[in-house]
Each structure stands twice: as structure tokens, then as C-alpha cells.
Amino acid sequence: MAHKKMILDLDTGIDDALALAYAVGDPNVDLIGIISSYGNTLMTTAAQNSLNLLHLLGADDVPVFLGESHSSTTNHFDVMPISQLIHGENGIGDVTLETSPRSVEQQSGVDFLIESAHKYNDDLIFIPTGPLTNLASAIKKDSAVATLIGNTTLMGGALTVPGNVTPFTEANIHQDPEDADFVFTRQKNLTMVGLDVTLRTLLTKKETTAWRALDTTAANKFAELMDFYIDAYANLNIDKKGAALHDPLAVAVGIDHTYVSTLPLSMHVTYDKESGDYGRTIGNKDKLFEPTTSKVAVLVDTNRFVSDFQAMMLSVLKK
């Protein structure tokens, strides 16, 4: 059993599914749980997707917990039409998976995160790949969480490139900028893996063809959902060269930070709806001279990561 423990916080769409597979396969971490979030799909759908994917990968021992179902400033959540075009109506490319025999846990995802932070401290790696509502809720309930977690590596934000929802705002941050700001200004040992680096990591049908050649149920299902993602990127003119490995890169960086070059920077998130400056991840000018444990990934070793990701997937999917 690996020394480092990992919790994934997933709004389980297609790239979240890839992140889940990567975490299951990497021998350097012990995946101890998944917290469900909203974003690519509804929170409850994301939870069932995670359970079914774990079952597909033979990892039914990993528990799944329900997180928050909507942002801190709303009372409900509706999936954006663009999210359904990119991830499918069920979040995983409209691929049908065998239903997991396991159900979601009775304990809430927020309480599980708080409990794990106290139990594992510096040995805990927390990877949120959707909105930061669950982490913010945990900190609000127990402020110690902000300093206990050894490594929080999030997928979200954009510092040096435009956002993918507005010219400034990336999708995960856009779901709950208020709670994102709460996390960015409190959470220690925080690394932002945003569009600055994830857009440089593309997978193509050359790789999914190699998955299909394994001829296992898992390989065929993952190839099917990833091909849906690649086609969506092309059809929507997001990128015709391939589909970005957003969430898997966050998992990889959480385990091995040498995949990216980072900039130490105290950050915050804007949420001024009146001016339209809403959801921008940016340096906090009031803290430019203060020491920080926050970092922003600005460059990535693209060839090394994509090659390592493909090797990991071939290993995981052959079983």
C-alpha cells in the first residue's frame, strides 16, 4: 500500500474518468475515496459515474461520497448545454456502463474530507477537478482543513491564456467563483493546474486505437468515451488536433510536480458581477511581498506527460 493517500473530487465527466483511471493505476498513491461534485453533470450522476467506472476498472473497494450539489450562491444547479455537447448527456460520452454493486456512502463528502485531513495530514493529496465548493465547505466547517492537507492540486483557472467560458474565466472556477476565492485565499500548499498547461496536453485517436487493441471491456469503453470527447473538441472547434487531458494532468502533478514549471503566487478569484469581472484567477496585489505556498503551473513537459499518461492507461486498461 502506498504511503501517500489521494482523494479525488470529481464532477465525473470524460476527463474526470481519465483522472480516475490514472489514480487507480498509479502505484505511488493509495486512492482512498472520491467525493462527487456538480459541473459536467449533476452531482448525483457524477457519483454514479464514478462508482460505475471504479467497477469497470475492478476498484470497487474505493468508496464514493456525495458532495455539494450546487454553488454557495445558488439553490440549484443546471448542467450547461455546452457541457452536454462535450461530455454527453450522461457525462461520460453517452457510453453505457455496467451498474456498480456498490452504493454511495452515508457519510457526506465534506465530512470525509475533514476526517481524512486530520487522519493523514501531510500524506494526503487532494485533487479537485470541478468547482471548489466541497473544499470551501470543509474549511468553513473546520478551518484546520486549510493547513492540514499536505498537497491540494486543482484543475481550474487560467492565468496566461483566455478562459473557456468567458475571456477570463475557466469552467470549473465559473461554477462557484465566490467559494473558489475562499479556497484560493485560505488553502495552504495549493497548486493551480489550469488551462495554461492542460491545453498543451492533447490525446488523439492514435492513442485510443491502441486502447482498443487491448480488447478488454475497460479498454473498449474508455476508448468509446474518449473518442466522443475528441470528436466534440473537433466539432465544436475547441481543438481539432486532439482533446485536452485537463483532469489527468492535475492528478499527475499532484503525484509528481516535475511535470510542470510553476510560479509562486498568492492568488484570488474575482467575483464582481456588476463590473463583469467574475471568475478571474489572478495574483493578489496586496500580497505580492508576502511568502506563499500557492503555485500556478505555467509550463508543462508535454511529451513526457502524454507519453506517461498513455503508458499508464495501457497498463490500467489491459486488466
Side-chain angles (χ1 to χ4, degrees):
M1 185 174 291
H3 182 65
K4 293 290 184 180
K5 310 299 179 183
M6 177 174 283
I7 295 174
L8 299 178
D9 184 326
L10 308 177
D11 57 331
T12 309
I14 293 175
D15 56 327
D16 305 78
L18 304 180
L20 184 156
Y22 194 104
V24 166
D26 197 308
N28 295 302
V29 292
D30 179 18
L31 181 60
I32 62 170
I34 295 173
I35 302 173
S36 181
S37 187
Y38 62 94
N40 295 324
T41 187
L42 300 175
M43 179 271 292
T44 50
T45 303
Q48 191 61 52
N49 285 346
S50 293
L51 284 168
N52 294 348
L53 288 162
L54 288 166
H55 182 57
L56 178 65
L57 295 168
D60 285 315
D61 57 318
V62 179
V64 175
F65 303 82
L66 297 180
E68 303 289 0
S69 61
H70 55 80
S71 77
S72 57
T73 58
T74 60
N75 57 18
H76 76 286
F77 172 73
D78 295 318
V79 181
M80 292 189 297
I82 188 65
S83 297
Q84 294 184 329
L85 290 175
I86 295 172
H87 295 274
E89 291 188 11
N90 70 349
I92 49 173
D94 296 330
V95 174
T96 301
L97 299 180
E98 182 179 344
T99 302
S100 169
R102 185 163 185 169
S103 301
V104 295
E105 303 302 305
Q106 292 299 309
Q107 184 183 26
S108 75
V110 169
D111 286 344
F112 170 67
L113 178 57
I114 293 170
E115 177 185 281
S116 300
H118 282 274
K119 183 175 182 180
Y120 297 111
N121 294 273
D122 288 345
D123 292 329
L124 180 61
I125 302 171
F126 180 58
I127 312 285
T129 66
L132 294 172
T133 314
N134 290 329
L135 179 54
S137 295
I139 299 170
K140 290 173 185 177
K141 190 169 184 178
D142 183 349
S143 60
V145 169
T147 56
L148 286 173
I149 299 173
N151 171 352
T152 298
T153 300
L154 67 95
M155 191 283 125
L159 182 67
T160 64
V161 297
N164 56 4
V165 177
T166 77
F168 305 109
T169 309
E170 179 274 332
N172 291 332
I173 301 299
H174 184 262
Q175 300 288 5
D176 192 351
E178 289 83 0
D179 266 0
D181 182 66
F182 187 89
V183 167
F184 270 67
T185 55
R186 288 164 177 81
Q187 186 68 30
K188 307 299 180 185
N189 305 317
L190 182 75
T191 300
M192 183 181 106
V193 176
L195 299 180
D196 316 88
V197 287
T198 63
L199 291 176
R200 303 170 190 254
T201 61
L202 301 177
L203 207 74
T204 71
K205 290 188 178 180
K206 175 183 177 183
E207 284 80 20
T208 59
T209 298
W211 299 359
R212 291 182 191 278
L214 297 172
D215 199 27
T216 65
T217 301
N220 289 328
K221 291 293 186 180
F222 268 87
E224 188 179 348
L225 65 87
M226 189 61 194
D227 282 348
F228 181 100
Y229 198 50
I230 293 167
D231 288 342
Y233 261 62
N235 295 336
L236 295 168
N237 284 320
I238 299 172
D239 198 322
K240 294 185 181 296
K241 298 185 295 295
L245 297 170
H246 299 293
D247 297 346
L249 181 60
V251 172
V253 172
I255 299 168
D256 181 357
H257 65 89
T258 65
Y259 280 115
V260 294
S261 300
T262 58
L263 173 69
L265 185 65
S266 293
M267 301 189 72
H268 72 126
V269 180
T270 61
Y271 52 92
D272 186 346
K273 290 183 178 179
E274 189 171 325
S275 70
D277 188 5
Y278 191 70
R280 185 166 50 121
T281 49
I282 194 72
N284 187 341
K285 64 182 178 62
D286 295 328
K287 295 186 177 181
L288 293 178
F289 295 99
E290 297 181 17
T292 181
T293 61
S294 297
K295 299 183 288 290
V296 184
V298 290
L299 293 173
V300 58
D301 189 340
T302 299
N303 292 337
R304 176 184 163 222
F305 170 68
V306 174
S307 175
D308 287 355
F309 173 79
Q310 177 68 353
M312 182 71 74
M313 291 301 290
L314 290 172
S315 175
V316 171
L317 298 177
K318 72 181 181 183
K319 300 174 183 178

